Amino acid sequence: MAQVIANSGHDDMIHDAVLDYYGRRLATCSSDKTIKIFEVEGESHRLTETLKGHEGAVWCVAWAHPKYGNILASASYDGKVFIWREQAGQWQRVHVSELHSASVNLVSWAPHDAGCILACASSDGNVSVLEFRDGAWGHQILPAHGLGVNAVSWAPSIAPGAIASAQQAPGPLRRFVTGGSDCSVKVWEWSAESSTYACVSTLSGHTDWVRDVAWSPTVLSKAYIASASQDKTVRIWTSTNPSLGDWQSTTLNFDAVAWRASWSLSGNVLAVSTGDNKVSLWKEKLTGGWECIKTIEE
Protein backbone atom coordinates (compact mmCIF):
# COMPACT_ATOMS: atom_id res chain seq x y z
CA MET A 1 0.00 0.00 0.00
CA ALA A 2 2.81 2.42 0.87
CA GLN A 3 4.27 2.20 -2.62
CA VAL A 4 0.90 2.98 -4.17
CA ILE A 5 0.55 6.03 -1.98
CA ALA A 6 4.07 7.18 -2.78
CA ASN A 7 3.16 7.50 -6.48
CA SER A 8 -0.42 8.52 -5.89
CA GLY A 9 -0.58 11.53 -8.16
CA HIS A 10 -2.11 13.64 -5.37
CA ASP A 11 -0.52 17.03 -4.73
CA ASP A 12 -1.19 16.98 -0.99
CA MET A 13 -1.42 14.71 2.00
CA ILE A 14 -3.36 11.46 1.50
CA HIS A 15 -6.02 10.93 4.16
CA ASP A 16 -7.45 7.56 3.20
CA ALA A 17 -6.73 4.65 0.86
CA VAL A 18 -9.10 1.70 0.50
CA LEU A 19 -9.23 -1.37 -1.69
CA ASP A 20 -12.54 -2.55 -3.09
CA TYR A 21 -14.14 -5.88 -2.16
CA TYR A 22 -12.07 -7.84 -4.68
CA GLY A 23 -8.80 -5.98 -4.08
CA ARG A 24 -8.67 -4.91 -7.73
CA ARG A 25 -9.23 -1.22 -7.25
CA LEU A 26 -7.79 1.32 -4.89
CA ALA A 27 -9.45 4.64 -4.04
CA THR A 28 -7.40 7.38 -2.38
CA CYS A 29 -8.39 10.86 -1.22
CA SER A 30 -6.44 13.91 -0.25
CA SER A 31 -6.28 17.52 0.90
CA ASP A 32 -6.14 18.46 -2.81
CA LYS A 33 -9.96 17.92 -2.84
CA THR A 34 -9.75 14.99 -5.25
CA ILE A 35 -10.34 11.23 -5.18
CA LYS A 36 -8.18 8.98 -7.34
CA ILE A 37 -9.09 5.52 -8.58
CA PHE A 38 -6.33 3.03 -9.42
CA GLU A 39 -6.52 -0.37 -11.09
CA VAL A 40 -4.36 -2.76 -9.06
CA GLU A 41 -2.66 -5.59 -10.96
CA GLY A 42 -0.26 -7.60 -8.82
CA GLU A 43 2.48 -5.22 -7.68
CA SER A 44 1.61 -2.53 -10.20
CA HIS A 45 -1.17 0.01 -10.29
CA ARG A 46 -2.35 2.60 -12.75
CA LEU A 47 -4.41 5.72 -12.28
CA THR A 48 -7.69 5.38 -14.17
CA GLU A 49 -9.80 8.26 -12.85
CA THR A 50 -9.64 11.48 -10.82
CA LEU A 51 -12.96 12.46 -9.25
CA LYS A 52 -13.47 16.17 -8.58
CA GLY A 53 -16.24 18.23 -7.01
CA HIS A 54 -15.51 18.52 -3.29
CA GLU A 55 -14.66 22.03 -2.11
CA GLY A 56 -12.47 20.95 0.80
CA ALA A 57 -10.07 18.23 1.87
CA VAL A 58 -11.51 14.74 1.35
CA TRP A 59 -11.02 12.78 4.58
CA CYS A 60 -12.54 9.42 3.82
CA VAL A 61 -13.63 7.11 0.99
CA ALA A 62 -15.61 3.87 1.32
CA TRP A 63 -16.62 1.23 -1.23
CA ALA A 64 -20.12 -0.20 -1.10
CA HIS A 65 -20.57 -3.98 -1.41
CA PRO A 66 -20.45 -5.09 -5.09
CA LYS A 67 -24.04 -6.38 -4.94
CA TYR A 68 -25.00 -2.68 -5.20
CA GLY A 69 -22.64 -2.00 -8.12
CA ASN A 70 -19.37 -0.10 -8.32
CA ILE A 71 -20.25 2.54 -5.75
CA LEU A 72 -17.93 4.78 -3.73
CA ALA A 73 -18.80 7.27 -0.99
CA SER A 74 -16.59 10.24 -0.12
CA ALA A 75 -16.67 12.57 2.92
CA SER A 76 -15.16 16.03 3.01
CA TYR A 77 -14.30 19.05 5.10
CA ASP A 78 -16.86 20.90 2.93
CA GLY A 79 -19.66 19.18 4.90
CA LYS A 80 -20.81 17.11 1.93
CA VAL A 81 -20.98 13.40 1.20
CA PHE A 82 -20.84 12.35 -2.44
CA ILE A 83 -21.95 8.98 -3.78
CA TRP A 84 -20.12 8.01 -6.99
CA ARG A 85 -21.05 5.22 -9.38
CA GLU A 86 -19.17 3.64 -12.24
CA GLN A 87 -21.08 2.23 -15.18
CA ALA A 88 -19.54 1.09 -18.45
CA GLY A 89 -16.20 2.61 -17.47
CA GLN A 90 -17.63 6.06 -16.68
CA TRP A 91 -17.72 7.50 -13.17
CA GLN A 92 -20.62 9.75 -12.24
CA ARG A 93 -21.71 11.49 -9.07
CA VAL A 94 -25.17 10.02 -8.44
CA HIS A 95 -26.04 11.65 -5.11
CA VAL A 96 -24.94 14.66 -3.05
CA SER A 97 -25.79 14.80 0.66
CA GLU A 98 -25.68 18.31 2.15
CA LEU A 99 -27.19 17.49 5.52
CA HIS A 100 -24.24 18.69 7.62
CA SER A 101 -23.13 22.18 8.60
CA ALA A 102 -19.50 21.21 9.26
CA SER A 103 -16.84 18.72 8.18
CA VAL A 104 -17.93 15.12 7.53
CA ASN A 105 -15.11 13.10 9.07
CA LEU A 106 -15.96 9.48 8.32
CA VAL A 107 -18.44 7.41 6.32
CA SER A 108 -19.19 3.73 6.83
CA TRP A 109 -21.40 1.30 4.86
CA ALA A 110 -23.70 -1.05 6.74
CA PRO A 111 -23.35 -4.84 6.23
CA HIS A 112 -24.68 -5.49 2.72
CA ASP A 113 -27.53 -7.74 3.86
CA ALA A 114 -28.94 -4.89 6.00
CA GLY A 115 -29.42 -2.74 2.89
CA CYS A 116 -27.60 -0.05 0.91
CA ILE A 117 -27.06 2.16 3.97
CA LEU A 118 -24.32 4.69 4.72
CA ALA A 119 -23.63 6.33 8.10
CA CYS A 120 -21.81 9.69 8.12
CA ALA A 121 -20.08 11.24 11.16
CA SER A 122 -19.79 15.03 11.27
CA SER A 123 -18.12 17.74 13.34
CA ASP A 124 -21.55 19.40 13.61
CA GLY A 125 -22.40 16.80 16.29
CA ASN A 126 -24.74 14.76 14.13
CA VAL A 127 -24.70 11.40 12.39
CA SER A 128 -26.68 11.11 9.17
CA VAL A 129 -27.83 7.76 7.85
CA LEU A 130 -28.46 7.59 4.10
CA GLU A 131 -30.41 4.68 2.64
CA PHE A 132 -31.05 3.81 -1.00
CA ARG A 133 -34.47 2.18 -1.36
CA ASP A 134 -37.00 1.97 -4.16
CA GLY A 135 -34.80 3.99 -6.50
CA ALA A 136 -34.24 6.98 -4.21
CA TRP A 137 -32.00 8.12 -1.33
CA GLY A 138 -33.69 8.75 2.01
CA HIS A 139 -31.99 10.08 5.14
CA GLN A 140 -32.18 10.50 8.88
CA ILE A 141 -30.22 12.89 11.10
CA LEU A 142 -29.33 11.87 14.65
CA PRO A 143 -27.89 14.28 17.24
CA ALA A 144 -25.04 12.14 18.56
CA HIS A 145 -22.10 13.93 20.21
CA GLY A 146 -22.53 17.65 20.90
CA LEU A 147 -18.88 18.59 20.39
CA GLY A 148 -18.53 16.63 17.14
CA VAL A 149 -18.62 13.06 15.83
CA ASN A 150 -15.24 11.70 14.75
CA ALA A 151 -16.03 8.11 13.82
CA VAL A 152 -18.75 5.57 13.09
CA SER A 153 -18.62 1.80 12.58
CA TRP A 154 -21.37 -0.77 11.88
CA ALA A 155 -21.94 -3.95 13.83
CA PRO A 156 -22.26 -7.31 12.05
CA SER A 157 -25.84 -7.95 10.93
CA ILE A 158 -26.01 -11.08 13.10
CA ALA A 159 -26.30 -10.88 16.90
CA PRO A 160 -23.48 -12.37 19.04
CA GLY A 161 -24.04 -16.10 19.49
CA ALA A 162 -26.98 -16.20 17.04
CA ILE A 163 -25.23 -18.65 14.71
CA ALA A 164 -24.91 -21.15 17.56
CA SER A 165 -28.48 -20.75 18.82
CA ALA A 166 -31.58 -22.31 17.33
CA GLN A 167 -33.53 -19.05 17.47
CA GLN A 168 -33.79 -17.20 14.19
CA ALA A 169 -33.41 -13.43 14.26
CA PRO A 170 -36.28 -11.50 12.61
CA GLY A 171 -33.87 -10.15 9.97
CA PRO A 172 -30.48 -8.47 9.62
CA LEU A 173 -29.55 -6.30 12.59
CA ARG A 174 -28.92 -2.61 12.03
CA ARG A 175 -26.63 -1.38 14.75
CA PHE A 176 -23.62 0.94 14.84
CA VAL A 177 -21.22 2.70 17.21
CA THR A 178 -20.06 6.32 17.24
CA GLY A 179 -17.15 8.11 18.92
CA GLY A 180 -17.06 11.80 19.69
CA SER A 181 -15.20 14.84 20.96
CA ASP A 182 -17.30 14.58 24.16
CA CYS A 183 -15.04 11.63 25.11
CA SER A 184 -17.92 9.16 24.86
CA VAL A 185 -18.75 6.10 22.77
CA LYS A 186 -22.40 5.47 21.86
CA VAL A 187 -24.17 2.36 20.57
CA TRP A 188 -27.16 2.87 18.25
CA GLU A 189 -29.83 0.41 17.18
CA TRP A 190 -32.63 0.55 14.62
CA SER A 191 -36.07 0.63 16.22
CA ALA A 192 -38.88 -0.66 14.01
CA GLU A 193 -41.46 0.95 16.33
CA SER A 194 -40.12 4.49 15.98
CA SER A 195 -38.60 3.95 12.49
CA THR A 196 -35.34 5.54 13.58
CA TYR A 197 -32.02 4.72 15.24
CA ALA A 198 -31.92 5.11 19.02
CA CYS A 199 -28.91 5.35 21.34
CA VAL A 200 -29.09 2.22 23.50
CA SER A 201 -25.78 2.62 25.39
CA THR A 202 -23.36 5.43 26.24
CA LEU A 203 -19.92 4.05 27.13
CA SER A 204 -17.88 6.37 29.36
CA GLY A 205 -14.27 6.13 30.48
CA HIS A 206 -12.14 8.03 27.97
CA THR A 207 -10.79 11.36 29.24
CA ASP A 208 -10.18 13.00 25.85
CA TRP A 209 -11.58 12.94 22.30
CA VAL A 210 -12.49 9.55 20.87
CA ARG A 211 -10.76 9.53 17.49
CA ASP A 212 -11.92 6.19 16.12
CA VAL A 213 -14.32 3.34 16.83
CA ALA A 214 -14.35 -0.12 15.28
CA TRP A 215 -16.95 -2.86 15.79
CA SER A 216 -15.43 -6.30 15.27
CA PRO A 217 -16.95 -8.37 12.43
CA THR A 218 -16.87 -11.50 14.57
CA VAL A 219 -20.25 -13.07 15.44
CA LEU A 220 -19.02 -15.38 18.18
CA SER A 221 -20.36 -15.39 21.73
CA LYS A 222 -19.89 -11.66 22.33
CA ALA A 223 -19.64 -8.31 20.58
CA TYR A 224 -16.35 -6.38 20.56
CA ILE A 225 -15.89 -2.63 20.04
CA ALA A 226 -12.50 -0.89 20.07
CA SER A 227 -12.33 2.86 20.74
CA ALA A 228 -9.12 4.83 20.14
CA SER A 229 -8.61 8.11 21.97
CA GLN A 230 -6.53 11.23 22.30
CA ASP A 231 -6.02 10.12 25.95
CA LYS A 232 -3.39 7.60 24.70
CA THR A 233 -5.58 4.58 25.34
CA VAL A 234 -7.64 2.12 23.37
CA ARG A 235 -10.57 0.60 25.19
CA ILE A 236 -11.95 -2.76 24.14
CA TRP A 237 -15.61 -3.08 25.07
CA THR A 238 -17.33 -6.46 25.13
CA SER A 239 -20.96 -7.46 25.57
CA THR A 240 -22.90 -10.71 25.25
CA ASN A 241 -26.09 -8.71 24.62
CA PRO A 242 -25.52 -5.22 23.17
CA SER A 243 -29.28 -4.49 23.21
CA LEU A 244 -29.21 -4.71 27.00
CA GLY A 245 -26.01 -2.69 27.22
CA ASP A 246 -23.98 -4.91 29.56
CA TRP A 247 -20.63 -3.62 28.26
CA GLN A 248 -17.34 -4.41 30.03
CA SER A 249 -14.10 -2.66 29.10
CA THR A 250 -10.37 -3.40 29.06
CA THR A 251 -7.87 -0.56 28.61
CA LEU A 252 -4.71 -0.73 26.47
CA ASN A 253 -2.18 2.03 27.23
CA PHE A 254 0.10 3.71 24.67
CA ASP A 255 2.90 6.30 24.63
CA ALA A 256 1.09 8.51 22.12
CA VAL A 257 -2.37 9.48 20.88
CA ALA A 258 -4.29 6.48 19.52
CA TRP A 259 -5.55 7.53 16.07
CA ARG A 260 -7.11 4.50 14.41
CA ALA A 261 -8.25 1.02 15.37
CA SER A 262 -9.23 -1.73 12.94
CA TRP A 263 -10.07 -5.41 13.25
CA SER A 264 -8.88 -8.23 11.04
CA LEU A 265 -11.58 -9.76 8.82
CA SER A 266 -11.84 -12.74 11.16
CA GLY A 267 -12.35 -10.23 13.95
CA ASN A 268 -9.82 -11.54 16.45
CA VAL A 269 -6.77 -9.31 15.85
CA LEU A 270 -6.88 -5.56 16.51
CA ALA A 271 -4.49 -3.15 14.78
CA VAL A 272 -3.89 0.21 16.48
CA SER A 273 -2.05 3.14 14.90
CA THR A 274 -0.60 5.76 17.25
CA GLY A 275 0.86 9.24 16.96
CA ASP A 276 4.45 7.97 17.29
CA ASN A 277 4.15 6.35 13.82
CA LYS A 278 3.74 2.85 15.22
CA VAL A 279 1.15 0.20 14.42
CA SER A 280 0.63 -2.52 17.02
CA LEU A 281 -1.33 -5.76 16.71
CA TRP A 282 -3.27 -7.09 19.70
CA LYS A 283 -4.91 -10.41 20.41
CA GLU A 284 -7.11 -11.63 23.25
CA LYS A 285 -5.44 -14.18 25.51
CA LEU A 286 -7.23 -17.44 26.28
CA THR A 287 -6.83 -16.59 29.96
CA GLY A 288 -8.43 -13.16 29.44
CA GLY A 289 -6.83 -9.79 28.79
CA TRP A 290 -5.05 -8.63 25.63
CA GLU A 291 -1.45 -8.96 24.52
CA CYS A 292 0.59 -7.12 21.92
CA ILE A 293 1.75 -9.71 19.37
CA LYS A 294 3.62 -7.35 17.04
CA THR A 295 4.72 -3.72 16.69
CA ILE A 296 5.53 -2.19 13.31
CA GLU A 297 7.47 1.09 13.18
CA GLU A 298 6.75 3.19 10.11
Side-chain angles (χ1 to χ4, degrees):
M1 190 68 77
Q3 90 185 56
V4 175
I5 301 308
N7 325 325
S8 69
H10 285 291
D11 300 330
D12 276 307
M13 183 174 175
I14 303 265
H15 296 296
D16 202 9
V18 278
L19 286 163
D20 72 356
Y21 182 83
Y22 299 110
R24 293 181 199 144
R25 282 186 169 158
L26 176 76
T28 64
C29 61
S30 147
S31 292
D32 68 9
K33 308 177 188 173
T34 71
I35 297 141
K36 300 209 178 265
I37 310 287
F38 298 87
E39 293 287 338
V40 180
E41 289 145 11
E43 289 293 300
S44 69
H45 63 282
R46 60 187 176 86
L47 178 64
T48 56
E49 191 70 60
T50 300
L51 306 178
K52 296 177 179 174
H54 278 297
E55 293 153 33
V58 187
W59 302 131
C60 174
V61 282
W63 294 97
H65 189 274
K67 85 179 245 189
Y68 297 113
N70 289 326
I71 291 180
L72 185 73
S74 59
S76 168
Y77 180 75
D78 64 15
K80 294 174 188 165
V81 174
F82 291 170
I83 310 282
W84 309 83
R85 184 169 190 199
E86 187 222 31
Q87 275 183 305
Q90 295 291 312
W91 282 93
Q92 283 186 311
R93 196 169 61 188
V94 293
H95 184 68
V96 177
S97 170
E98 301 181 75
L99 301 169
H100 295 287
S101 59
S103 175
V104 180
N105 301 316
L106 202 81
V107 287
S108 173
W109 292 99
H112 66 90
D113 50 349
C116 187
I117 307 172
L118 184 75
C120 316
S122 171
S123 294
D124 67 6
N126 298 325
V127 170
S128 59
V129 182
L130 311 179
E131 181 172 6
F132 188 74
R133 275 180 67 184
D134 305 325
W137 288 93
H139 69 264
Q140 296 199 319
I141 299 182
L142 314 167
H145 301 267
L147 297 170
V149 192
N150 300 319
V152 58
S153 173
W154 288 86
S157 57
I158 300 166
I163 288 177
S165 82
Q167 290 175 310
Q168 281 296 310
L173 275 178
R174 291 198 259 171
R175 191 185 273 160
F176 61 84
V177 59
T178 55
S181 301
D182 59 0
C183 314
S184 74
V185 172
K186 292 185 177 181
V187 176
W188 303 78
E189 202 169 285
W190 173 257
S191 161
E193 289 79 52
S194 59
S195 293
T196 187
Y197 294 85
C199 177
V200 291
S201 295
T202 299
L203 310 180
S204 305
H206 283 297
T207 57
D208 208 334
W209 289 22
V210 177
R211 287 288 182 184
D212 198 19
V213 286
W215 199 309
S216 168
T218 181
V219 288
L220 299 174
S221 56
K222 50 187 179 178
Y224 292 82
I225 291 171
S227 55
S229 170
Q230 193 100 11
D231 66 11
K232 300 183 182 177
T233 70
V234 166
R235 284 180 174 252
I236 297 175
W237 311 84
T238 58
S239 172
T240 51
N241 191 337
S243 296
L244 296 177
D246 60 335
W247 292 92
Q248 312 291 318
S249 87
T250 304
T251 304
L252 312 180
N253 293 293
F254 296 88
D255 298 327
V257 171
W259 282 108
R260 296 299 297 263
S262 63
W263 296 95
S264 61
L265 287 178
S266 58
N268 60 354
V269 176
L270 178 71
V272 176
S273 61
T274 42
D276 50 7
N277 289 333
K278 290 179 185 171
V279 175
S280 52
L281 303 180
W282 298 77
K283 197 163 186 180
E284 192 171 18
K285 294 186 284 197
L286 292 173
T287 52
W290 292 74
E291 62 182 342
C292 181
I293 53 172
K294 190 170 187 180
T295 301
I296 304 150
E297 302 232 11
E298 294 195 352

